[in-house]
Every structure is written in C-alpha cells, then in structure tokens.
C-alpha cells in the first residue's frame, strides 16, 4: 500500500467515527502503544531497550519511556534480566512481553479428539490437554459438555500461573456462520448447532476485554493456519495450510492474513473433485478429495481399520509401516499423495501460492506424501517449470488449531493493546480525548 | 480495517519515506484532491455541487473550492450544464469528470484477434478496433507490429478527440513476469517474449505521468476481470470472472481488488484438472479444463471445425444452432458446462465466492452453460444448499480485456490525481511541502 492509499484509509475510517473528516489526532497515543508493543513482540534476537525502540520507531525517547511505563503497568511488558555490564554507565534493560499478563484459551472439537490449551502473550503454550474419543456417536451438547470440562481445568491452570484469560477461540471441523452457529460439520454429523449457547452451560463467561471477542467459533483449519503463521519466521507469508484429519480442510494465508472468503467458508479443499465420477462423499458429492486422501481412506487402503484399532494408534502404525518400507502402506500413501497433488495443483493454478504446508495428521506423513504431491504439481501447474512450489510439514502438527486459536486471542491484544489497558472502560472508542485509561502497576485489568 | 489499523499503516508507510516517524501532514492536500475526485467519480445519479462535496467529505467549503479549482485546471473535472433554476440565487453547478482530459489505451493480443481501445476518465469507450486473425502462425514480433499499427491509429483518434493518453495496458493470454516479459502463453506458443521491447519498435512512448506506468503488460483474464469490476454497480464486489476463449483464464476479484497471487500468476483455471487421467493438454498436463470447455473443444464437439470456418464465425453458428435446439450443439454445450461446473465447484469450495461471471466467448453462451454449471455447484459445493452461487454473463463480453486495461489506466489517475496534475515534475514525491504543482487551465500537462 502506498502512502496516499494509507492516508485515504485513515480519512475513510476516521470519517466513519467523526463527521469532521479530519484525521483523528487524539488517537496517536493508541497508535504509539501499538507500535511500541509490536516492536517488542517482533524482536527476534535480543530484547530491545527503550533507546532501541526510540531509534526503531522514530518516536522521541520521552514518548517511548511513557509508553513503556504504560505497557509495564498494564502487565503487557516486563523488563528482562539486565545485560552484563560492557562499559561505563548503567546497562540498558531489555524489554520483553510479560509472562504473567493476558493469555488466550484455545479449544477444539474434532472428529476423534477434544483439546484445550492456553497461550501467553509471548506465544508460549502454558497448558495443553488432548482427550482422544470418537465424537461421532456423541451429541453436540455432550461433546461441548466434555469440552467445557477441559476448558474449566485449563482456566484454573492459567489462573494458578498468574495469567488472565482475555478471550477464547474454539475450532470445529465445519462451516461456521454468524454468532458461532455451526452450519454444517459433515464428519461430525452436526447441522445448525449453536455452539456458544451449548458451551456457555458449562463454562462461565470471562470478563470482556474491549477489542477481543469473549468467544470466537471458527473452522479448525483456519485456526490451524493461523497457528502455523504465528509459529513461522518473520513475514510476509502466503501459503496454503492443509489439515489432514478425517476431513481435509485448508487455511489460505495471503500476506500474513487469513483469507476467509465471501462468507467465511473458504478452504474446503476436501471437497474439491479429484475424480468427478468417482467415490460418493458424505457431503453428497462424488469423487471428493476426502474420499481418497482423508484419514479413513488412507488407513483403509493400508489395511489399518477395525473396531479394535483406534484411529490415532492406526495412524502411528501407518507411519511405522511406511518407515519400515511395507508395500501396502507405501502404496496407500502414494495414492493419497497423488490425489492430494491433483487438488493442490488446482489450488496453485488458481491462486499462485508458492508454499504448501502439510498439517494435522499429514505432518508426520510428509516424507511419503511429498514426492507424489510434487510429481502432480510438476505435471499440472503451468508455472511449475520455472517457479517451484515448496511442500513442507507443518511446524505445529496436530495441535496447530488449539494453539493457533489461543494465539489469535493474544495477537489481538498486541495489535490493539488499548482495549486491555483500558480494562472495561470502553468509552475511549467514542471519545478521542480519553485514550489510554491506564491502571496502576499490579492492578489486574479485566479479571 | 479499523481506525487503529489504518493509522498504523499511515505510520508504517510514512516511516518508509521519512525517518521522523510522524504522519506526513504535508500530503493531506494530495489526499483531499483524491478524496474529492473520487467522490465526483462515484456520483451515481446527479453531479455533486461544491456544497454537496463539502457535506459528503467533511472538508470545509473553502478547501473544496480550492481543490475543485485545481481539478478543473488540470482537466480532470468540468462543470456540468447548469441545473434549472428552482429558487432564489444562482443555481449550484454540478461537477463531472472531464471528457477532454487524460485517457487510457488498452491493447490486446489474443489467439484469434488483436484489439485496441481508448477509455476516457469517465469510463466511456472513445475508440475501439478489433482485427480478427489467427495469431498462432505469426511470430511475436509480427503480432506486436500489427498491434502497434492499431495502437498508433487509436492514439491519433484519441488526439483528434482532445484526449491525452496517460498510459497503456496490454493484455496477453499468458503468464507475465517482471518488466512485461511474457513467460509463457501456451495457446499462442509464446515463451520468454519481451513484449515492451517488441512493441516499442512500432509505438513511440508517451510522456510519463507520475504514478501511472507508461506500459503495463498483464494477463488478459486479469484485465477482463477489472473491466467487469469497473462496469459494475457500486461495490464492494468479490467474484470470479472466467474468460472463455481458446484458453480459459480467470480473474479473481476480492473486495474490489484483483487477487494476483504470489507472483502474479493466479487464475489459471483452464489448467485445473477435471478428469485427472483424461485428455492431454498443450501445457503438458492431462485432463485440464481447457480440453473440455475451451473454445476449440466445444466447437469440435459441436462439429463446427474446419479450415474454411473461422473461429468467430463458428462461435456465432454455435449460438444459432443452440438457439434453434440442435441436439449436437446442445450436447456440446452441456458437456462443456459440466466440465466448467466441476472446476467452478473446486474454486467455490476453496474461495467461497458467491458470484461467477461468464465472460469472453462464454458470455453469449450463458443460457446453455449456466444450467449444467449450477447443477455441478449444487452437487459439489458444501455450502450450496443454504448459500446459492450466482452465475451470470459478463457485462462487457469479449471486449472486457481491452476496456478493462484502458480503464485501469484512468482509474490510477482518479486514485492519485497528483501525478497527473504535477505533470512531469515528480519532486513532490520527495518533498512534502511542494504538493500539487498545478497547471493553469488549458495547459496540457503531459503531452
């Protein structure tokens, strides 16, 4: 974006909240809080000092000092241990994200497991629980009751560690509509399930933080893609993250942002037809990718199904058999990789992405899936000859969705810290003069 | 985008050009020029008066008057005929985009035609020529020499009408790399063709306008999608525009902007596999959509090929036969529509777009293509049951790419008028105090 376009947007946005049409100067303080916090969050090698921040941001040292005091007082930032003295004078103290401030709660219902995790401001996972269970025979109410139990325990654990939960993100393997209504989760057999209403029975709401929704329900493949994005090196990143579970979902990340589509239902790669007159799918279509490369299809092709064999055990066994060179397992993975490659070739021809991340259950299978995927890309993508596509395993693996969900909560606080700092006083949104209602150090903003 | 995010971007962008880190106040004048011009351009029913503009933008009437004077002086805006007197006092004069100011030149090389057109600031087509010819046996140098002839004539015609060409956009049915190098145009048989160098031999360059590239080479499906976007009603629009020619390309418009992909090579829908082990394609792949729904495949299936039958005549005959209910033609269109529907279902599952526009040669065939396309969407798209997809013919038809290309030139001037107004004096970019170097009325800024 060029300078004028950015200014244009400022005026557009400003006009929405103020009829005067002028750029709202009063909120520069909010901007400075966000700028400084983001620089501290982005520091790669060494915690920046106040002087480093002034040099990096172009703000005066006095402004930086005032902003840093606000951030420390609000438990968003803390001083790192002093660096060893290298010359005369007091060594500058480095600044890092606080590990006792706000945190995000991530929850997930999937076809064969439930999960909960807590991520702190620095992105560290402070709590993580997975409960394996086939959720298909369980009603949505019972599944969410079980998830509520995990959530209550995760919260208690967060509180014990001095963290304050600022919001919750819940991932489901399906299409989510307004207000967290799950319109359809074909592999769970859910239709029109009001997830927030059911979860609320088992999980008391947290005190709200301005700018952070108390509960967001999202497609698990979207949250997993966000997890992968946050786990990566500095951007900008554009990639396709494929979550290979019983269903196959994808998150499309373009220039560091999740692309959600017109109604938030993008990424249904599992229902791309790879053999249009082929096997019938649970969605009502035919020849969908899921029927050739979904977890159940692969395990069946490898002869690893049966009532006595839980899916996670079977998946581990598949990896072992493939590592041992067992021909049936190798053929099953080759065929799945070929089907996956046909769908990925369609995506790359359409979106011109240069990176494909194999996540969820696909991550440990990447050594066997990658060769046939690359073969199909090379054969079918118009630009493949001079513009190779990287296919790599996900950094986070199966926990990407819960970690990504929890991380998306704290990312919102880093992007707009004023909501957290102002506690429950949200009047700043309408009154430019009352920005930055800061709390004294040690006070707990939203509980 | 919220207010803080916009402010953040201002500061980010500003810092790139100024180490001080402050929002660059000096350029608010540039912003005001753009704001007022864009409002005039967006006026739907009635040309706005200066008072209307002040009310709409939140700027003072004095500022609006000064800005409007600058825009009139620079031949971007003109006063409409006075409205009938309705009360006491002088009636307010409405303001419209000038029809004797800057214009864009659109050019296109396609497989079986060359085209040139001129579009003025208001989006009106002021010149349009199409020359039918099979370009496949012609060398790139000869094709561009012929295109140069059309371009020279278009320029002369524009000059006769008092217009000043501000830039040129050239569409090709292929993948365009940096500097206008056509990496690959499979249906033309072009590889690594330096289009600007070849065209320059036949077309003297125009005087540059700051902010508007003198020549942009782009994929024709991208330009066609822009043409469709500009021809539409007020946005925001997100849609897939499919150009059905010998090849099949697509332009993906998301929230009023073209999505180009990581390297600008998005939209190759013609090479989405619709029958992975099916017919071999010119690209080296198998079962690509083009082999089932491209112009040649459809005409062959309808029995309308032969050396004595030019493709455009055959296409017209196909429409006539279909309208008359001839069974072979109907079957050919049904099969093409089914293949197209399989590919579109993949796109909609992936991107969650709610509108598909059938453009190029597909536009007149929409009555026969739409039913099988909708049938495949309904069968294969996960969300189709509660979230219908609109499939409609393009507004512009086969001329979309040249009109879209020429229109994209004038759109850049509307977005950032300062470059045009400043003529060739581009020092304003580095010196915030010297914004708006305006020319006296009647002076011709860049020739």
């Amino acid at each position: 974006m060029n300078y004028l376009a950015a200014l244009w947007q400022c005026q557009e946005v400003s006009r929405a909240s103020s009829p005067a049409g002028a750029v709202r100067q009063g909120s520069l303080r909010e901007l400075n809080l966000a700028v400084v916090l983001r620089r501290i969050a982005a520091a790669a090698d060494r915690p920046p000092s106040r002087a480093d921040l002034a040099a990096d941001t172009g703000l005066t040292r006095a402004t930086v000092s005032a902003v840093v005091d606000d951030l420390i007082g609000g438990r968003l930032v803390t001083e790192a241990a002093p660096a060893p003295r290298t010359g005369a004078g007091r060594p500058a103290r480095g600044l890092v994200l606080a590990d006792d401030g706000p945190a995000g709660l991530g929850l997930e219902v999937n076809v064969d497991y439930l999960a909960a995790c807590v991520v702190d401001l620095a992105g560290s996972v402070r709590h993580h629980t997975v409960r394996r269970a086939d959720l298909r025979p369980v009603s949505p109410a019972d599944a969410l009751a079980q998830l509520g139990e995990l959530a209550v325990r995760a919260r208690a654990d967060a509180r014990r560690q001095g963290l304050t939960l600022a919001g919750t993100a819940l991932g489901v393997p399906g299409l989510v509509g307004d207000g967290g209504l799950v319109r359809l989760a074909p592999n769970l057999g859910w239709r029109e399930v009001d997830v927030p209403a059911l979860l609320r029975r088992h999980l008391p709401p947290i005190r709200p933080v301005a700018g952070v929704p108390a509960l967001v329900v999202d497609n698990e493949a979207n949250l997993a893609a966000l997890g992968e994005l946050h786990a990566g090196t500095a951007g900008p990143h554009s990639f396709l993250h494929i979550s290979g579970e019983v269903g196959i979902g994808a998150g499309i990340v373009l220039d560091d942002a999740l692309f959600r589509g017109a109604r938030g239902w993008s990424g249904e790669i599992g229902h791309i037809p790879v053999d249009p007159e082929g096997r019938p799918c649970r969605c009502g279509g035919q020849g969908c990718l899921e029927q050739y490369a979904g977890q159940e299809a692969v395990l069946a092709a490898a002869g690893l199904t049966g009532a006595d064999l839980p899916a996670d055990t079977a998946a581990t066994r598949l990896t072992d058999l493939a590592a041992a060179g067992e021909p049936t397992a190798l053929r099953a993975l080759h065929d799945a990789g070929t089907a996956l490659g046909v769908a990925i070739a369609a995506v790359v021809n359409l979106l011109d992405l240069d990176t494909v991340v194999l996540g969820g259950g696909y991550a440990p299978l990447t050594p066997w899936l990658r060769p046939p995927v690359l073969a199909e890309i090379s054969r079918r993508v118009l630009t493949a000859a001079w513009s190779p596509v990287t296919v790599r395993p996900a950094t986070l693996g199966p926990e990407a969705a819960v970690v990504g969900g929890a991380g998306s909560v704290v990312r919102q606080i880093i992007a707009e810290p004023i909501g957290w700092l102002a506690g429950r006083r949200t009047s700043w949104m309408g009154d430019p003069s009352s920005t930055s209602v800061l709390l004294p150090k040690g006070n707990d903003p939203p509980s």
Side-chain angles (χ1 to χ4, degrees), chain A:
Chain A
M1 167 173 307
N2 63 21
Y3 176 68
L4 194 65
L7 262 182
W8 168 272
Q9 283 189 330
C10 284
Q11 201 178 70
E12 285 290 291
V13 176
S14 162
R15 189 167 306 113
S17 56
S18 123
V23 174
R24 214 175 59 178
Q25 298 297 333
S27 293
L28 282 173
R29 188 164 171 74
E30 288 171 46
L31 175 65
N32 290 337
L33 284 164
V35 166
V36 170
L37 185 59
R38 206 188 277 202
R39 298 273 155 161
I40 293 170
D45 43 355
R46 176 177 75 80
S49 66
R50 288 167 177 80
D52 295 334
L53 291 168
D56 285 355
T57 60
L59 297 169
T60 65
R61 291 192 60 160
T63 302
V64 167
S65 281
V67 165
V68 167
D69 285 351
D70 289 351
L71 293 172
I72 289 177
R75 293 199 290 126
L76 294 174
V77 161
T78 189
E79 290 187 326
R85 182 182 292 264
T86 54
R90 201 160 56 105
R93 299 287 294 264
L95 296 159
V96 293
L97 294 172
D99 62 359
D100 62 348
L105 175 62
L107 301 175
E108 184 180 2
V109 186
N110 216 312
V111 179
D112 51 359
Y113 65 88
L114 298 165
C117 92
V118 174
V119 167
D120 68 18
L121 205 57
S124 301
V125 176
R126 303 285 289 269
H127 172 98
H128 187 214
T129 323
V130 178
R131 185 186 288 177
R132 296 269 159 202
D134 186 347
L135 275 301
R136 282 171 287 198
V138 178
S139 75
D142 288 347
L144 290 164
Q146 290 183 38
L147 187 65
E149 279 173 35
L150 295 195
V152 166
R153 263 185 259 161
R155 259 199 209 181
D157 190 19
R159 201 172 299 124
R160 263 194 301 275
Q161 298 183 60
L163 295 163
T164 306
L165 292 185
T168 303
L170 192 163
V172 292
L175 302 162
V176 183
D178 291 341
L181 183 75
V182 174
R183 304 298 301 264
L184 177 66
N187 290 308
L188 274 174
W190 289 15
R191 268 183 194 278
E192 309 294 333
V193 174
D194 186 344
V195 167
L198 292 174
L199 186 67
R200 210 172 288 133
R201 295 183 197 164
H202 308 282
L203 188 68
I206 57 174
R207 287 178 67 188
V209 173
V212 182
L215 173 63
V216 167
V217 183
D218 203 343
N219 180 276
E220 53 93 21
N222 282 346
L223 294 180
L226 285 177
E228 188 65 23
L229 173 64
H230 298 159
T233 48
H237 300 273
S238 296
F239 59 83
L240 180 75
H241 179 276
I242 305 179
S243 299
E245 311 289 350
V246 171
I248 306 174
I252 303 165
V253 173
L254 305 175
D255 290 337
D256 284 348
L258 194 64
F259 173 72
R260 292 179 174 277
R263 296 150 300 203
W265 299 329
S266 71
E268 291 298 336
I269 195 175
H271 300 281
I272 284 187
V274 294
D275 182 13
E277 301 307 319
R279 301 176 194 166
C281 180
R282 212 170 277 131
C283 76
Q286 255 183 293
C288 296
L289 175 63
E290 266 178 32
Q291 300 304 318
Y292 301 83
Q295 183 180 284
E296 290 188 332
V298 181
L299 293 177
L304 290 168
T305 40
D308 56 331
L309 193 67
D312 56 325
T313 313
T316 309
R317 202 172 294 174
L318 176 62
T319 316
D320 294 344
L321 288 171
E326 199 276 318
T328 312
L330 291 180
R331 178 182 306 272
L333 287 169
H334 181 271
D335 291 350
T338 300
L340 195 55
V342 169
I344 291 173
V347 177
V348 175
N349 269 317
L350 190 73
L351 296 183
D352 179 33
L353 293 169
D354 59 11
T355 304
V356 175
V357 179
L358 299 182
Y362 284 155
L365 298 172
T366 303
W368 300 282
L369 294 173
R370 177 163 37 197
V373 165
L374 286 175
E376 293 304 311
I377 289 175
S378 151
R379 189 180 162 203
R380 300 183 186 281
V381 172
L382 210 54
T383 60
W386 69 86
S387 180
V389 176
T390 302
V391 176
R392 65 167 176 83
T395 309
L396 290 178
E399 70 270 27
V402 270
V403 173
S408 68
V409 172
V410 292
R411 290 263 155 180
Q412 292 175 73
I413 292 174
I414 292 173
E416 294 193 40
I418 191 69
W420 165 264
L421 292 171
R424 297 158 78 191
R425 294 184 55 179
T426 56
S427 65
W428 64 274
M429 295 183 74
D431 175 7
S433 66
S434 73
T435 60
S436 182
V437 180
L438 296 168
L439 297 165
K441 190 164 178 172
N443 195 339
D444 191 346
S447 80

